[in-house]
Amino acid sequence: MSDDIEMMGPVDYLVVEFPGNKMTGEGFPLLVDLVERGIIRILDLVFVRKDADGSVAALELRDVGGGEMDLSVFEGAASGLLGQDDIDEAGAALEANSSAGILVYENVWAAPFARALRRGGGQLVASGRIPVQALLASLDAMEA
């Protein structure tokens, strides 16, 4: 197992909220494309809903989007990395009456680079992501 881990690229997660439970599915074909092109590998994909009373529950794929979207391509996208505590934590970040997708994925594109760094003795000591909104706000502030 440790050999498999040594071969992996960086692993990230996203929690994407859909206020008012309005999920259109527009991004799903693009997600499938990323997988098919070998850019990412989905490790876990879980959908949750937060009700008006604040309770959070995992959704079955057939219940996402009111059952109007065919998400069967994502069946079995579960490595077991996400547990109830992760679902609860994601739910705490959501507004009431909303749903979300929780995606854990490997950056397959970065695996050769990550392996080379590890072989050279490198260790990841920090990482992060700058939200596009924050980047735009910073650029706007610089122009002002």
Side-chain angles (χ1 to χ4, degrees), residues 2-74:
S2 66
D3 288 342
D4 291 341
I5 291 172
E6 286 297 316
M7 299 302 289
M8 289 181 70
V11 174
D12 287 327
Y13 75 93
L14 300 170
V15 178
V16 180
E17 180 181 49
F18 298 92
N21 297 307
K22 295 179 181 162
M23 190 180 309
T24 67
E26 187 174 340
F28 293 133
L30 297 169
L31 182 59
V32 170
D33 181 59
L34 291 171
V35 172
E36 288 176 346
R37 291 191 294 141
I39 296 171
I40 67 166
R41 177 170 59 121
I42 297 174
L43 301 175
D44 278 303
L45 179 60
V46 174
F47 294 94
V48 298
R49 179 183 61 236
K50 185 172 187 176
D51 293 326
D53 66 1
S55 61
V56 177
L59 299 173
E60 296 292 325
L61 281 180
R62 67 179 175 275
D63 297 330
V64 174
E68 299 166 11
M69 294 177 268
D70 179 14
L71 301 178
S72 59
V73 69
F74 299 112

Side-chain angles (χ1 to χ4, degrees), residues 109-122:
W109 63 269
F113 177 62
R115 285 192 300 269
L117 292 175
R118 286 190 290 263
R119 282 192 307 268

Side-chain angles (χ1 to χ4, degrees), residues 73-98:
V73 69
F74 299 112
E75 287 286 342
S79 68
L81 290 173
L82 287 176
Q84 187 60 47
D85 54 333
D86 300 307
I87 291 170
D88 293 340
E89 187 175 336
L94 301 177
E95 294 293 324
N97 293 316
S98 63

